[in-house]
Amino acid sequence: MNSRLLMAGILSVCLAGAGQAQPAQPQSGPRQLPARTIPVPDTVSPQMRALIAQPVNPIWNVVPKTSAEWKALVAKNAAESIPAIRAMRAALHVKVEPAAIAGVKAYIVTPDVTPPANRNRLLLYFHGGGFVLRPGEAGLAEAIELAGFGHYKVISVDYRMSPDFPYPAAMDDAMAVYREALKTIKPKNIGIFGTSAGGSITLATVLRARTEGLPLPGAIAPGTPWSDMTKTGDSYFTNDGIDNVLVSNDGFWGAAALLYANGHDLKDPQLSPVYGDMHGFPPTILTSGTRDLFLSNTVRVHRKMRQAGVEAELQVFEGLSHAQYYRDITAPETIDYNSEIARFFDKHLGH
Amino acid sequence: MNSRLLMAGILSVCLAGAGQAQPAQPQSGPRQLPARTIPVPDTVSPQMRALIAQPVNPIWNVVPKTSAEWKALVAKNAAESIPAIRAMRAALHVKVEPAAIAGVKAYIVTPDVTPPANRNRLLLYFHGGGFVLRPGEAGLAEAIELAGFGHYKVISVDYRMSPDFPYPAAMDDAMAVYREALKTIKPKNIGIFGTSAGGSITLATVLRARTEGLPLPGAIAPGTPWSDMTKTGDSYFTNDGIDNVLVSNDGFWGAAALLYANGHDLKDPQLSPVYGDMHGFPPTILTSGTRDLFLSNTVRVHRKMRQAGVEAELQVFEGLSHAQYYRDITAPETIDYNSEIARFFDKHLGH
C-alpha cells in the first residue's frame, strides 16, 4: 500500500530525466520495455565473465522436425563434448566405470580418495539436457565434479531419453536405480542431485518414491530444476534473451518439453514437480543464477518447500545464466557451488 | 566449456524460428535486447499481482535540485503514508510509543501478547527509503509487521537522514541505539533487521560493532540490502525497468546515494557493506525478489557470507520487485515473509 501512496505523493515535484529513457506507462498491466544493452557484469570471476559474454546459445531456436534430426543433433553435440569431459575427469583424478544397474545404463564415478565419512554414502546423479541431450559420457560433468571436489562416490544414471524413450522412461530408470541402491545403502545415506532436467528428475524421484511407499533419500540437491514445463513462472519472461544458455522457452526447449511429455499433461507433477506436494521432503539445497531462465522454477520450489516445512536452502549465483555455475572447474563459482553441495550432503546424509 | 562445444555442435541442423525474435548476436560481449512486453505473472497472489501490475513508481526519475525540494518530497510522501501505517497498526493490534533512546528518536513497537520465549529478546529495526524517505511514523511498516506477526518487541529507529544529516549520522544513531540496548539485553538476544537502506544499516552496524569491539547481535535479517551504492551488480542492469518500485538506479536512487554519501567514498563498507569482511557475522537471513533491482545486492552478500562460513540463508520471492514482499499484510507472500523472519529469530536468538 505504501508504494501506491508514494506514487501519488510526488507528482508536484519537478521531473528531471537522468539516465536511460523509460517509456511512459500510466496504465496498470504488463511491463513495456524498450530495446537495451546489458553489459557483462564485473562482479563475477574472469572465467564466468567469459561465459556470460558468449553469444546466445544458437540451439535455442533449433527445432528438429523428425526423430532423425533430433538424433543427429544429440549425437553431434555429445561427440563434441567428450574431450572436455575426459579432460575434466583427468584433472579431478576421478575414475569412471560404465555399469548396468537394475538393467539401467550408468557410470560409477569414484574419487581417488574416499574419506571415511563417505564410505557408506552414495550419490545418484541425473544430468540435464532437456531429456534429450547428453547421453553416455556427455552427461558426466557434474558427477565428475562432485566426486572430485566433494569426494563422494556418484552413480551417474544414463537414463533413456527422447525421442525414442519419452516420459516415463527416464523416471522408470531413475526409480529402478534408486530401488537398487536401497538394497545395499541406507536411505539416509543416499543423496540425489542433478541440474535442469536432472533437477526435475531429482524432485520427481522423491515424489514417486513417496507414492510408492519407498523410504526417501537423506538429502537432495536439485540445481535450477525444470520444475515447470508449461512456461509458467516470471523468469521465463524477465530473463528471456538475458540467459545465454537456454535463451528462451520458445524454441528448442519448449519443443523438447513436448517431445518428452509425448502427450502427457505437462502439469503432472512427474513432469512439472513444482505442482507436487512437498510435505515430508528431505533437506534440499536449490541453486540458480540471477540471469537464469529457470530462476522462477527454482525459487517457486524453494518457497513451496519452505511453506511445507522442508529444510530447504537456496543459493543464487550473481550474473549467471542457466546452469553456468558448474561450467568451468577452474572458476571460483564452480568450486564454490561444488563445495556448498558437498557441505550440504556432508551435513545431512547418514554415515 | 560444454556450452561452447554445444554451440559449435548444432550448426548443421536446420533453424526453425519459433516464438519471439531475438537479435543476431555473433560477437561476445554485452547482451543486446529488443523492445518487449513482460506479462504480469500468475504465479503470485492476487494482492501481489496488483502490486506487480502497477505502473513504474514515478519517483524513479525525480531528482530534487535543492534541499527544500528534497524535504518537500519527503514530507508529502510521509504524510500520505501515515493513514495506511495507522491502519496496519490497528489491524495487527500493535502498540506504538515514541521514545528517545540514547538521544535518538525511535518508536517502541509492542505486540498485544509477548510469548514467554520473546520476553528477554529485542529487535532493532531500520526502515528503508534511500536514507532520505520515511521519517517518523512513515518508517514503521515492517516494525509493526514483525511485532504483529512475529510477536516481538521492536525498536524502530527513526534515524537522522539526508539532506540535513548525511552519512555518518544514520550509522551514529544506529550504533547509539545498539550500545544502549546492550546495557540491558544480552547481545545474543538482540536481532537487527531492515529493508533496503535499512538492510545496509543492519549490515554496517555489525561491521562497525566488530570494529569497535562490541559484542555482535544474535541474528540479523537484511532485506534486499542496498549493499552496493556504486551501481555495481548485474541486476542493476537486468532488472532495470522491470522492477516497478526502484525502477532504475539512474535517477532518484543514484541521487539519494550521493546525497547520503556527502563526498564519502561510496565503496566504503559503511556505505556499501558488500565490500566489508563478513567473517564472524551472526546467522543472517537475506530476502529479495526475482524482479528486484537489488537482487544482485542481495545474492552477492549471501555468497560472500557463505564463503566466510556464515550461517546465511537466502529467500527470493517469485515475481516481486524491490521490497514488495512486505507491502500488503493481507498477501500470503507478506505473511510468509514475516513468518520466515520470525522463525529465523526464534531459532537463533538467545532467551
Side-chain angles (χ1 to χ4, degrees), chain A residues 6 18 77 234 250 291 296, chain B residues 6 18 77 234 250 291 296 318:
Chain A
L6 188 79
N77 170 251
D234 201 40
D250 300 334
R291 290 191 177 198
S296 290
Chain B
L6 187 81
N77 171 250
D234 200 40
D250 300 334
R291 291 192 177 197
S296 290
E318 162 72 352

Side-chain angles (χ1 to χ4, degrees), chain B residues 9-333:
Chain B
I10 54 81
L11 295 180
S12 64
V13 180
C14 66
L15 291 171
Q20 299 167 244
Q22 298 287 335
Q25 193 177 41
Q27 306 283 327
S28 284
R31 199 87 72 244
Q32 308 293 341
L33 292 177
R36 61 208 177 113
T37 301
I38 296 178
V40 181
D42 53 6
T43 43
V44 299
S45 69
Q47 296 93 320
M48 287 296 164
R49 272 184 69 83
L51 289 177
I52 296 167
Q54 285 185 359
V56 298
N57 180 350
I59 204 175
W60 80 269
N61 63 357
V62 175
V63 180
K65 294 184 198 70
T66 64
S67 202
E69 284 183 4
W70 280 105
K71 290 179 185 177
L73 183 156
V74 169
K76 191 160 167 51
N77 171 250
E80 293 187 340
S81 71
I82 300 298
I85 297 282
R86 290 185 180 162
M88 180 188 287
R89 188 183 71 189
L92 294 177
H93 308 290
V94 164
K95 190 169 69 176
V96 174
E97 301 162 291
I101 298 173
V104 176
K105 285 199 289 180
Y107 295 89
I108 298 170
V109 184
T110 320
D112 56 355
V113 177
T114 303
N118 290 351
R119 291 212 181 122
N120 298 315
R121 291 166 161 174
L122 177 67
L123 302 184
L124 303 186
Y125 172 65
F126 300 97
H127 67 79
F131 297 99
V132 61
L133 294 171
R134 300 192 200 135
E137 282 185 76
L140 282 168
E142 275 185 291
I144 290 169
E145 289 182 17
L146 212 52
F149 288 119
H151 307 291
Y152 272 91
K153 178 179 170 180
V154 182
I155 290 179
S156 183
V157 183
D158 187 16
Y159 56 87
R160 289 170 295 160
M161 295 197 288
S162 316
D164 286 344
F165 300 101
Y167 177 83
M171 287 310 305
D172 289 344
D173 288 355
M175 294 307 297
V177 173
Y178 182 57
R179 270 187 229 103
E180 189 68 22
L182 287 172
K183 292 181 183 169
T184 55
I185 315 277
K186 291 186 220 166
K188 286 280 180 203
N189 295 13
I190 299 173
I192 305 181
F193 74 111
T195 282
S196 196
S200 170
I201 295 174
T202 299
L203 293 165
T205 296
V206 175
L207 289 169
R208 188 163 151 188
R210 195 180 50 195
T211 301
E212 295 188 4
L214 295 173
L216 303 186
I220 62 172
T224 181
W226 201 0
S227 67
D228 193 327
M229 286 190 136
T230 71
K231 200 188 176 185
T232 299
D234 200 40
S235 68
Y236 274 115
F237 303 90
T238 56
N239 280 337
D240 188 290
I242 292 177
D243 180 328
N244 68 340
V245 174
L246 295 178
V247 188
S248 174
N249 190 72
D250 300 334
F252 181 86
W253 306 106
L258 295 173
L259 189 73
Y260 176 62
N262 193 30
H264 285 86
D265 182 1
L266 290 175
K267 283 207 167 187
D268 185 319
Q270 281 295 296
L271 290 108
S272 292
V274 76
Y275 299 106
D277 174 8
M278 306 290 178
H279 286 89
F281 262 58
T284 300
I285 183 167
L286 293 142
T287 307
S288 185
T290 62
R291 291 192 177 197
D292 189 350
L293 196 76
F294 287 2
L295 176 60
S296 290
N297 279 338
T298 307
V299 306
R300 289 173 67 209
V301 170
H302 182 242
R303 296 293 347 124
K304 192 162 183 184
M305 285 186 165
R306 290 296 308 136
Q307 287 155 17
V310 177
E311 189 170 346
E313 291 187 18
L314 172 68
Q315 51 184 352
V316 178
F317 281 87
E318 162 72 352
L320 299 193
S321 295
H322 186 68
Q324 276 175 333
Y325 52 75
Y326 81 81
R327 289 293 184 180
D328 187 333
I329 60 169
T330 73
E333 289 88 346

Side-chain angles (χ1 to χ4, degrees), chain A residues 64-142:
Chain A
K65 295 186 197 68
T66 64
S67 203
E69 284 183 4
W70 281 105
K71 289 179 186 178
L73 183 156
V74 169
K76 192 161 167 51
N77 170 251
E80 294 188 341
S81 71
I82 300 296
I85 297 281
R86 290 184 182 163
M88 181 189 287
R89 187 182 71 189
L92 294 178
H93 307 290
V94 165
K95 189 168 69 174
V96 174
E97 302 162 290
I101 298 172
V104 176
K105 286 199 289 182
Y107 295 88
I108 298 170
V109 183
T110 319
D112 57 354
V113 177
T114 303
N118 290 351
R119 292 214 179 121
N120 298 313
R121 290 166 162 174
L122 178 66
L123 302 184
L124 303 186
Y125 172 65
F126 300 97
H127 67 79
F131 297 99
V132 62
L133 295 170
R134 299 190 201 138
E137 282 185 78
L140 281 168
E142 274 185 291

